[in-house]
Amino acid sequence: MYHSSVRNNIGILEIIFSNESKKEEFIDITDTTQKIFHDIDVLMIRLCKTDDNLRMIKYGVIEEFIKFLDHYQLPTIAIIDGLCCGVALETALSADIRICSNDTTFRFSEDLFAESIAYQSKIRKLLGNKFSMWQIGCDSSLTAEKALHLNLVNHTYNKKNLEDQAFQFAQSLIKGRTRETILAVKQCLNYFKKYEQGTDFNILIEEETKQFLSLIQGAEL
Amino acid sequence: MIKKRVLFEMHENIGSLIINDPPANKMTNEFMLDFCEVMRNEVCRAKVKGILIYGNGRHYSSGADLRQLRTSIASHKISGNNGVEMIPILYQQIKTSFVYLRNLSIPVVSAISGLCYGSGLELAMCSHIRVSAENAMMCLPEITFGVLPGACGTVTMPMIVGLGKALELILKGEVLTGTEALGIGLVDVVTNKNECLEEAKEILKYFVENVKSYSKECVRDYLVNYRTFKKLKMAISVENEKQYV
């Protein structure tokens, strides 16, 4: 189940995860996002759940939506409140920025982290150099404070003001920016998400050059 | 005598790359030409075991002159018949020089004081270790002019602080102090503003003398060892002083 709305060029997508969530539903969310949010500058995704125990939802159900988020052309912000695990966590990790309430807990799957190199690589890209502070095993459960310290989340707010603060944050990101520059920055970061930092460094540099040259001609300097 | 906007000095095993256009150390086209020349003729040929980068005077660098850079790009831009555009040589060379520094297998340390904006911060992010004064000011303001950080910033920033923080810093163009930058991991060490350069020199000297097979992926481990080494050194000197008293 989901709700969508647009306010001041900010798309707001509220997804309610439940153990009855179906694959078709998430395909529908993907289609809706493309249709309804065609002229927004940033997408906010509010993650809600009917039950804390959501482990029954299989990854396959949300796989298409995760892929869509990973390559989305505009900045995405996940808003998290309470326990974040399973498919809700996967969705949050696919957004560019995470904002959470002070009492949020992130629960990672130790098995997935230990077995999947792609998953480790994804976490490394989200944490940057702070990945070296990540302790496998000990950090399978993270408080909001620790997640903030590790750069996994950008900001934490009081539960009461979470949505308002997140909205203000989204506004501050796009205020005074042209859609063209937002798209160019996001394109560079999508390459960063997609390619490996070591082996594909030159591909990332080339894309940055392309985007920079296209923007500088029309810039108001 | 022609002023050189970039200097390269060697002392013992350490090379110092100095941004020499005070007071702001702006990265003008003239600076970029000098920078590329010094990189090509001196840095590449130097037999040094570590490189220290800093700005002459109060500031590290206030970044590129975007207006000048745009004019230069517009006048050098060549469009091919197949729609492929040639990249202006100066822009390409400065980027190559930054990448060269990043890829070196010897330690490259930046001592950041005062302003470190735009391309200045991009150069610092291509260093392996950043030592900053607590009141230094860092930001990528390009977005406020309608462009993006085009000298490796969109690649190195997420590598250092992670994707979410990088996107926020690039899109907001927000200014961070040295202390704030340390909090998100953008710099590795913060010092008093008068001790920044000395601390950077000490760290580099420690790396050169004590790290046998250097890898830039391990700098944070080396820094932990450096801090232990420094504490021990201090404890020994206090002990010696006590003996004399």
Side-chain angles (χ1 to χ4, degrees), chain B residues 35-54:
Chain B
F35 189 85
C36 296
E37 195 193 309
V38 166
M39 287 297 294
R40 205 171 33 240
N41 298 334
E42 296 180 56
V43 179
C44 290
R45 294 172 187 179
K47 289 195 171 92
V48 288
K49 290 185 175 171
I51 292 178
L52 177 69
I53 309 173
Y54 63 94

Side-chain angles (χ1 to χ4, degrees), chain A residues 75-76 95-98 124-130 132 148-151 153-155 169 172-174 176-178 181-182 184-186 188-190 192-193 197-198 201-202 204-206 208-209 211-213 215-221, chain B residues 66-70 73-74 77 85-88 91 95 99 102-103 122 130 142-156 158-173 182-185 188 220-221:
Chain A
T76 49
D96 303 315
I97 291 172
R98 280 148 297 283
R124 184 186 291 272
K125 286 174 184 175
L126 298 180
L127 306 190
N129 281 345
K130 290 209 175 181
S132 60
L148 182 68
H149 178 65
L150 286 172
N151 289 354
V153 300
N154 281 41
H155 298 280
F169 171 78
S172 72
L173 273 190
I174 55 171
R177 313 285 171 250
T178 62
T181 36
I182 296 170
V185 169
K186 187 59 207 301
C188 292
L189 293 186
N190 275 355
F192 175 79
K193 272 181 167 182
Q197 299 166 18
F201 189 79
N202 288 338
L204 306 180
I205 293 290
E206 274 171 31
E208 182 192 71
T209 303
Q211 296 297 335
F212 177 78
L213 292 176
L215 285 178
I216 198 160
Q217 305 300 325
E220 286 177 26
L221 303 173
Chain B
L66 284 173
R67 206 170 282 156
Q68 201 187 36
L69 186 61
R70 182 178 60 179
I73 286 173
K77 205 174 158 189
E85 288 178 344
M86 295 284 287
I87 299 162
Y91 173 61
K95 254 185 122 154
V99 173
R102 185 193 169 272
N103 291 344
E122 289 176 283
R130 286 158 294 282
E142 288 86 345
I143 199 87
T144 56
F145 303 105
V147 288
L148 53 76
C152 310
T154 68
V155 182
T156 51
M159 281 179 182
I160 296 167
V161 300
L163 185 83
K165 279 283 172 196
L167 183 59
E168 182 180 350
L169 291 172
I170 294 170
L171 278 182
K172 278 190 170 177
L182 180 71
I184 61 162
D188 304 290
R220 263 137 290 278
D221 296 332

Side-chain angles (χ1 to χ4, degrees), chain A:
Chain A
M1 187 132 128
Y2 65 94
H3 304 291
S4 56
S5 57
V6 179
R7 218 171 108 197
N8 298 355
N9 281 21
I10 299 170
I12 305 162
L13 186 64
E14 190 179 43
I15 304 175
I16 303 157
F17 292 95
S18 80
N19 283 328
E20 278 75 49
S21 294
K22 302 233 166 12
K23 189 173 181 175
E24 295 73 37
E25 209 176 284
F26 283 93
I27 292 171
D28 193 34
I29 296 175
T30 310
D31 291 343
T32 307
T33 310
Q34 280 163 329
K35 278 177 202 157
I36 297 179
F37 299 136
H38 52 83
D39 57 355
I40 58 164
D41 289 333
V42 62
L43 176 64
M44 269 177 34
I45 307 154
R46 178 86 165 96
L47 302 173
C48 309
K49 53 197 176 303
T50 52
D51 182 356
D52 270 351
N53 186 14
L54 282 166
R55 287 168 190 273
M56 283 173 72
I57 304 181
K58 287 186 179 140
Y59 179 74
V61 173
I62 60 157
E63 196 177 359
E64 290 301 312
F65 182 59
I66 296 281
K67 276 185 195 161
F68 167 74
L69 272 188
D70 274 335
H71 302 113
Y72 194 57
Q73 57 173 355
L74 290 164
T76 49
I77 304 169
I79 304 161
I80 310 143
D81 181 13
L83 181 68
C84 186
C85 61
V87 287
L89 177 67
E90 296 307 315
T91 312
L93 295 181
S94 292
D96 303 315
I97 291 172
R98 280 148 297 283
I99 286 175
C100 69
S101 63
N102 296 329
D103 63 351
T104 296
T105 304
F106 294 88
R107 194 168 294 157
F108 290 83
S109 156
E110 278 180 51
D111 296 342
L112 192 58
F113 191 85
E115 287 163 17
S116 167
I117 292 167
Y119 195 69
Q120 282 184 34
S121 166
K122 188 170 186 170
I123 305 279
R124 184 186 291 272
K125 286 174 184 175
L126 298 180
L127 306 190
N129 281 345
K130 290 209 175 181
F131 182 73
S132 60
M133 294 160 90
W134 177 282
Q135 294 165 303
I136 299 168
C138 298
D139 286 338
S140 56
S141 188
L142 289 181
T143 60
E145 195 185 358
K146 184 91 192 276
L148 182 68
H149 178 65
L150 286 172
N151 289 354
L152 183 68
V153 300
N154 281 41
H155 298 280
T156 60
Y157 297 113
N158 191 300
K159 201 180 176 95
K160 277 184 189 169
N161 312 325
L162 181 63
E163 286 196 32
D164 287 342
Q165 297 279 4
F167 190 78
Q168 280 177 29
F169 171 78
Q171 275 189 309
S172 72
L173 273 190
I174 55 171
K175 196 180 169 192
R177 313 285 171 250
T178 62
R179 193 178 158 81
E180 210 181 3
T181 36
I182 296 170
L183 287 169
V185 169
K186 187 59 207 301
Q187 173 73 356
C188 292
L189 293 186
N190 275 355
Y191 265 64
F192 175 79
K193 272 181 167 182
K194 190 175 165 188
Y195 292 103
E196 280 311 312
Q197 299 166 18
T199 47
D200 300 321
F201 189 79
N202 288 338
I203 297 175
L204 306 180
I205 293 290
E206 274 171 31
E207 185 57 27
E208 182 192 71
T209 303
K210 203 171 116 190
Q211 296 297 335
F212 177 78
L213 292 176
S214 72
L215 285 178
I216 198 160
Q217 305 300 325
E220 286 177 26
L221 303 173

Side-chain angles (χ1 to χ4, degrees), chain B residues 92-187:
Chain B
Q92 199 173 16
Q93 281 180 346
I94 196 89
K95 254 185 122 154
T96 308
S97 301
F98 282 18
V99 173
Y100 177 84
L101 283 169
R102 185 193 169 272
N103 291 344
L104 278 174
S105 53
I106 54 169
V108 181
V109 180
S110 267
I112 306 168
S113 58
L115 298 182
C116 181
Y117 281 13
S119 305
L121 182 54
E122 289 176 283
L123 172 61
M125 288 194 295
C126 284
S127 311
H128 308 171
I129 304 139
R130 286 158 294 282
V131 179
S132 164
E134 57 196 359
N135 62 346
M137 288 159 83
M138 283 159 253
C139 85
L140 293 175
E142 288 86 345
I143 199 87
T144 56
F145 303 105
V147 288
L148 53 76
C152 310
T154 68
V155 182
T156 51
M157 181 65 101
M159 281 179 182
I160 296 167
V161 300
L163 185 83
K165 279 283 172 196
L167 183 59
E168 182 180 350
L169 291 172
I170 294 170
L171 278 182
K172 278 190 170 177
E174 210 173 36
V175 181
L176 295 178
T177 62
T179 313
E180 287 165 339
L182 180 71
I184 61 162
L186 181 57
V187 300

